[in-house]
């Protein structure tokens, strides 16, 4: 009888919990305020992007937010993360958006979705699939029939994931954003009329509504950019606005003279580029601004509360006329309150104290951090020059160099090569380099070309019968500003020597590195500055997070048990380590594979902390 009673109690508990989590609610904007189930509600949100965090860690990071005092999590949805190839959609496994939303609900957080279709986010191409550029009739972010049709397909697929999880259907989703920071784009694209801009943004809003989105919509822009970015029927919110009076005045002007007042992006840290110092924002400044928002009843979202990592080739780039491109580092730590590895920082602890002051109940305990291990030195047992691999590949031939897009390749590298019948001596110039290249003659390194510091030429001496090889890396498509429409990769202009185009007999060897290439390693001597592929096995007695120390290497990518951990560029910094999640590691045998472009090293090891702020001059 005792066992039956226990069983009956478990059944009742299950049904009661199920009723709570499926109970329909209501989130609305009225009388100048947010209302949740009929009661005034202030949004205290933190942004976290599920693709930047292993799914096994989602709950831990969300519990960190809850323990800090937040009531909502905000996430972008990256279109190109889910449409892996034209018409091939993936919302499963690590890409299970529904699971992320449901996990937030389990933790007790509401959810705000920012689906774009454009997202910025220091993410490759601002979230757009690279192959959109292959359609010559399509122009992104514009009232363009071909583009809007692709947007419609995306929003339709996305709606299947989030509509069932809106609050009015029993889920935690309380708001959805229409487009993203469109006002800044309008300000930069003065070649397009404001009328056309607004036609486009309103069509995106209508697509969201027709797809079944029924929670309130909002836009987010700088407070001075609402004229181009606001959308009728969507709440305007101000990014980065610290002045309460300016915030209210801006929103009042475009929201019928009333609130609610929200800062959709408040920056407790900032983004980081290769070859530039790591940016930090002081704890004191963040706490002061947070308490000012709270005191004035302002809703806000920390961008970012937890940044995570740009694994693989997902990092984007900014455009700057002084550099042409500013590629983002692999770490998306962002100097956020919750570190890249999910640790509570001093900033986190100080903010938690601020939120505890306004809570009636004691905040939940801070979750314990994931265990950290150090990996002893690993010696590479298999090493080979990349040219040993490419010499056995079948090239694509063309009279002039083809772009990544021409070769139907989204990311990675392309080796361009050409044999010369006549002697050439002088300045090799590639004005259309996108983005980084090493140049070789007969396999011997001759120099580096680099869009970051606008180095597009070097002196060469080519004899009859010599082979020129140019290994080009795509360092991430531009994700912000007007230059986003100019995002082809590879060599996109003629290759010239002394001003004369080198035309005819070009060979292209695509190296997407979507997986690490299979190769029979011969362990021959490696010439200085040769591109190298290398691998080794290592054994672990226990697993945990770790940080690969790449300070002895040059520039390349690392795979751990088949997963691309991202780029390193140790010769410039500021990032000198790569975060390796413990869930990628196994007790027993593990595999590490590295593609190194410029400075091969025989060993690598893991350390127990990140190094993200060491610039190399």
């Amino acid at each position: 009888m005792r066992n039956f009673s226990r069983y009956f109690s478990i059944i009742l508990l299950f049904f009661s919990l199920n009723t709570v989590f499926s109970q329909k609610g209501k989130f609305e904007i009225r009388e100048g305020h947010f209302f949740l189930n009929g009661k005034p509600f202030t949004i205290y949100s933190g942004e976290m992007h599920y693709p930047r965090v292993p799914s096994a860690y989602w709950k831990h990071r969300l519990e960190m937010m809850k323990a800090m005092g937040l009531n909502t999590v905000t996430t972008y949805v990256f279109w190109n993360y889910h449409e892996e190839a034209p018409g091939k959609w993936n919302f499963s496994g690590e890409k299970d958006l529904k699971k992320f939303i449901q996990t937030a609900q389990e933790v007790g957080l509401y959810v705000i979705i920012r689906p774009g279709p454009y997202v910025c986010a220091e993410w490759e191409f601002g979230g757009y699939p690279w192959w959109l550029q292959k359609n010559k009739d399509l122009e992104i972010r514009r009232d363009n029939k071909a583009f809007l049709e692709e947007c419609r397909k995306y929003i339709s697929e996305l709606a299947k994931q989030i509509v069932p999880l809106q609050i009015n259907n029993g889920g935690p989703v309380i708001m959805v954003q229409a487009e993203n920071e469109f006002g800044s784009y309008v300000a930069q694209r003065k070649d397009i009329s404001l009328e056309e801009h607004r036609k486009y943004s309103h069509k995106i809003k209508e697509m969201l509504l027709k797809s079944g989105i029924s929670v309130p919509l909002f836009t987010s822009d700088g407070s001075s950019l609402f004229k181009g970015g606001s959308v009728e029927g969507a709440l305007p919110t101000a990014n980065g606005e610290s002045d309460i009076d300016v915030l209210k005045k801006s929103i009042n002007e475009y929201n019928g003279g009333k609130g609610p007042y929200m800062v959709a992006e408040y920056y407790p840290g900032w983004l980081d580029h290769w070859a530039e110092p790591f940016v930090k924002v002081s704890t004191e400044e963040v706490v002061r601004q947070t308490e000012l928002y709270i005191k004035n009843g302002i809703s806000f979202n920390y961008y970012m509360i937890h940044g995570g990592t740009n694994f693989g080739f997902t990092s984007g780039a900014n455009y700057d006329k002084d550099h042409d491109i500013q590629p983002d580092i692999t770490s998306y730590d962002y100097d956020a309150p919750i570190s890249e590895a999910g640790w509570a920082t001093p900033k986190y602890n100080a903010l938690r104290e601020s939120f505890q002051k306004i809570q009636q109940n004691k905040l939940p305990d801070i979750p314990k951090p994931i265990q950290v291990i150090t990996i002893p030195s690993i010696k590479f047992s298999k090493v080979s020059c990349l040219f040993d691999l490419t010499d056995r590949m079948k090239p694509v031939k063309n009279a002039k160099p083809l772009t990544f897009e021409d070769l139907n390749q989204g990311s990675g590298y392309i080796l361009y090569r050409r044999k010369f019948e006549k002697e050439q001596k002088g300045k090799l110039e590639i004005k259309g380099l996108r983005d980084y290249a090493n140049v070789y003659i007969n396999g011997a390194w001759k120099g580096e070309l680099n869009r970051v510091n606008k180095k597009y030429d070097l002196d060469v001496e080519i004899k009859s019968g010599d082979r020129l090889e140019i290994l080009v890396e795509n360092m991430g498509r531009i994700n912000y500003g007007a230059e986003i429409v100019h995002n082809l990769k590879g060599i996109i202009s003629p290759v010239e020597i002394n001003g004369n185009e080198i035309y005819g007999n070009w060979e292209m060897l695509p190296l997407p590195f979507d997986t690490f290439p299979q190769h029979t390693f011969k362990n021959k001597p490696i010439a200085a500055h040769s591109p190298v592929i290398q691998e080794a096995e290592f054994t672990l007695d226990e697993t945990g997070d770790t940080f690969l120390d790449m300070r002895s290497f040059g520039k390349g990518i690392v795979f751990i048990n088949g997963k691309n951990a991202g780029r390193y560029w140790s010769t410039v910094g500021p990032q000198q380590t790569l975060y390796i999640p413990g869930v990628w590691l196994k007790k027993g045998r593990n595999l590490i594979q590295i593609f190194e472009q410029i400075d091969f090293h025989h060993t690598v090891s893991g350390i127990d902390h990140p190094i993200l702020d060491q610039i190399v001059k």
Side-chain angles (χ1 to χ4, degrees):
M1 185 68 180
R2 189 185 309 159
N3 288 339
F4 176 78
S5 298
R6 183 171 177 269
Y7 175 76
F8 186 68
S9 297
I10 292 171
I11 293 293
L12 284 177
L13 178 62
F14 171 79
F15 279 109
S16 64
L17 284 173
N18 195 50
T19 301
V20 169
F21 280 97
S22 63
Q23 195 171 33
K24 293 182 179 180
K26 189 174 185 180
F27 183 81
E28 57 186 329
I29 297 173
R30 59 181 171 86
E31 302 167 14
H33 298 280
F34 293 123
F35 283 86
L36 176 65
N37 298 325
K39 297 180 179 179
F41 184 73
T42 304
I43 296 170
Y44 300 135
S45 174
E47 186 128 353
M48 163 186 162
H49 303 145
Y50 57 97
R52 286 176 157 139
V53 180
S55 61
Y57 292 168
W58 288 348
K59 188 171 184 179
H60 176 267
R61 306 305 198 255
L62 292 165
E63 288 176 337
M64 290 285 292
M65 295 182 205
K66 186 72 174 178
M68 200 185 90
L70 303 182
N71 56 31
T72 304
V73 59
T74 296
T75 185
Y76 276 129
V77 179
F78 303 132
W79 175 358
N80 58 14
Y81 186 65
H82 292 289
E83 191 175 11
E84 297 173 336
K88 181 185 175 184
W89 297 90
N90 187 353
F91 286 93
S92 63
E94 291 295 310
K95 303 186 179 190
D96 192 341
L97 173 57
K98 277 186 179 179
K99 179 182 176 182
F100 177 75
I101 296 171
Q102 290 164 338
T103 304
Q105 187 172 29
E106 290 172 20
V107 169
L109 295 171
Y110 294 100
V111 178
I112 294 173
I113 300 291
R114 308 178 73 187
Y118 163 77
V119 297
C120 185
E122 291 70 63
W123 187 265
E124 153 75 14
F125 204 8
Y128 291 131
W130 63 267
W131 62 80
L132 293 181
Q133 300 174 106
K134 290 173 67 67
N135 185 345
K136 303 305 179 187
D137 295 325
L138 184 152
E139 184 176 336
I140 62 170
R141 236 179 166 191
R142 192 167 181 177
D143 186 17
N144 170 276
K145 183 179 179 181
F147 175 59
L148 288 170
E149 175 57 22
E150 295 299 325
C151 290
R152 185 196 62 76
K153 294 175 188 175
Y154 161 61
I155 290 172
S156 176
E157 291 294 330
L158 176 67
K160 296 174 187 176
Q161 309 300 314
I162 61 176
V163 167
L165 294 173
Q166 293 180 118
I167 189 168
N168 48 315
N169 291 325
V173 176
I174 57 173
M175 286 207 302
V176 172
Q177 185 176 328
E179 240 283 348
N180 181 52
E181 297 179 313
F182 193 56
S184 61
Y185 191 68
V186 171
Q188 293 177 52
R189 290 297 304 272
K190 297 185 184 299
D191 56 315
I192 303 172
S193 70
L194 179 60
E195 180 183 14
E196 183 184 339
H197 278 306
R198 294 184 68 79
K199 277 184 181 179
Y200 159 70
S201 57
H202 280 70
K203 286 178 180 178
I204 295 297
K205 183 200 79 169
E206 290 303 315
M207 285 182 193
L208 290 166
L209 294 174
K210 288 179 181 178
S211 75
I213 302 300
S214 53
V215 293
L217 298 177
F218 71 102
T219 59
S220 66
D221 290 283
S223 55
S224 63
L225 299 167
F226 285 0
K227 182 177 181 180
S230 61
V231 173
E232 186 178 349
L235 174 71
T237 67
N239 288 353
E241 185 52 70
S242 58
D243 189 310
I244 304 301
D245 291 335
V246 172
L247 173 69
K248 290 183 175 181
K249 181 180 178 181
S250 301
I251 290 176
N252 285 343
E253 184 177 353
Y254 289 90
N255 197 45
K258 58 183 183 297
Y261 304 109
M262 181 170 179
V263 176
E265 291 187 5
Y266 168 59
Y267 309 111
W270 195 244
L271 60 96
D272 298 285
H273 300 130
W274 291 113
E276 297 177 20
F278 184 84
V279 182
K280 295 184 179 181
V281 178
S282 74
T283 295
E284 294 75 17
E285 179 183 338
V286 175
V287 169
R288 183 171 58 251
Q289 189 63 44
T290 294
E291 293 184 346
L292 183 65
Y293 288 148
I294 291 172
K295 178 183 176 182
N296 286 275
I298 305 300
S299 291
F300 58 92
N301 171 51
Y302 291 111
Y303 189 101
M304 302 289 295
I305 191 67
H306 171 54
T309 310
N310 295 314
F311 295 117
F313 298 119
T314 59
S315 58
N318 282 320
Y319 174 81
D320 180 88
K321 63 182 180 180
D322 294 328
H323 300 91
D324 278 359
I325 196 170
Q326 295 171 292
D328 298 303
I329 66 174
T330 297
S331 171
Y332 203 60
D333 179 88
Y334 215 86
D335 194 34
I338 303 171
S339 77
E340 179 180 14
W343 303 342
T345 65
K347 195 177 291 181
Y348 175 97
N349 292 326
L351 289 170
R352 188 171 187 265
E353 290 181 12
S354 295
F355 281 105
Q356 184 62 80
K357 295 174 187 175
I358 62 171
Q359 300 287 335
Q360 292 183 341
N361 301 317
K362 183 178 181 296
L363 289 172
D365 291 338
I366 302 172
K368 294 180 180 178
I370 307 298
Q371 176 173 292
V372 175
I373 64 171
T374 57
I375 299 177
S377 180
I378 303 166
K379 183 174 177 61
F380 288 96
S381 55
K382 297 179 179 179
V383 179
S384 190
C385 180
L386 182 72
F387 298 142
D388 292 338
L389 174 71
T390 56
D391 282 346
R392 293 197 297 272
M393 293 172 60
K394 185 178 180 179
V396 177
K397 297 181 179 181
N398 197 60
K400 60 181 181 179
L402 298 172
T403 66
F404 275 61
E405 292 73 19
D406 291 332
L407 295 166
N408 207 34
Q409 179 176 331
S411 55
Y413 312 80
I414 292 174
L415 181 65
Y416 296 85
R417 70 187 185 195
R418 186 186 190 277
K419 210 164 189 178
F420 284 76
E421 296 177 356
K422 295 181 179 180
E423 180 180 304
Q424 299 275 351
K425 183 178 180 181
K427 182 178 289 185
L428 169 72
E429 187 170 26
I430 310 175
K431 295 177 182 176
L433 173 67
R434 303 290 185 269
D435 299 301
Y436 173 90
N438 281 288
V439 178
Y440 313 86
I441 296 175
N442 299 330
W445 184 76
K446 297 301 175 183
E448 170 192 275
L449 303 178
N450 188 346
R451 190 180 176 195
V452 173
N453 53 22
K454 303 176 84 167
K455 179 175 171 52
Y456 293 115
D457 61 69
L458 59 82
D459 291 331
V460 295
E461 185 172 347
I462 300 172
K463 297 182 176 64
S464 175
D466 283 353
R467 186 167 77 176
L468 172 70
E469 290 170 303
I470 307 166
L471 180 59
V472 176
E473 176 186 3
N474 165 9
M475 291 203 66
R477 289 179 178 82
I478 293 166
N479 55 254
Y480 178 79
E483 285 297 311
I484 196 172
V485 297
H486 302 133
N487 253 327
L488 299 180
K489 291 297 182 177
I491 295 177
I492 70 169
S493 71
V495 176
E496 297 180 347
I497 296 179
N498 293 331
N500 298 313
E501 180 179 356
I502 306 303
Y503 186 83
N505 302 317
W506 281 100
E507 295 182 340
M508 277 67 61
L509 296 116
L511 298 162
F513 275 89
D514 44 4
T515 59
F516 203 83
Q518 296 291 317
H519 183 59
T520 303
F521 293 89
K522 296 182 179 179
N523 295 327
K524 297 185 299 185
I526 303 294
H529 302 302
S530 291
V532 173
I533 52 175
Q534 55 199 104
E535 67 177 53
E537 289 187 347
F538 60 99
T539 302
L540 294 176
D541 296 327
E542 62 176 349
T543 62
D545 289 355
T546 194
F547 303 87
L548 284 182
D549 185 351
M550 306 308 296
R551 284 175 290 183
S552 297
F553 287 75
K555 190 178 197 304
I557 53 175
V558 175
F559 283 73
I560 297 288
N561 292 327
K563 296 181 182 293
N564 188 339
R567 299 181 179 93
Y568 62 89
W569 195 0
S570 305
T571 54
V572 301
Q575 180 173 356
Q576 299 290 341
T577 55
L578 282 175
Y579 169 61
I580 306 298
V583 291
W584 289 11
L585 300 171
K586 302 177 290 187
K587 286 185 179 180
R589 295 169 68 182
N590 293 265
L591 179 67
I592 181 170
Q593 299 163 305
I594 296 181
F595 170 47
E596 165 61 53
Q597 297 184 61
I598 54 177
D599 199 0
F600 162 64
H601 197 68
H602 289 277
T603 60
V604 70
S605 59
I607 57 177
D608 62 3
H609 62 280
I611 302 172
L612 301 176
D613 57 358
Q614 286 189 8
I615 283 286
V616 179
K617 296 297 184 182

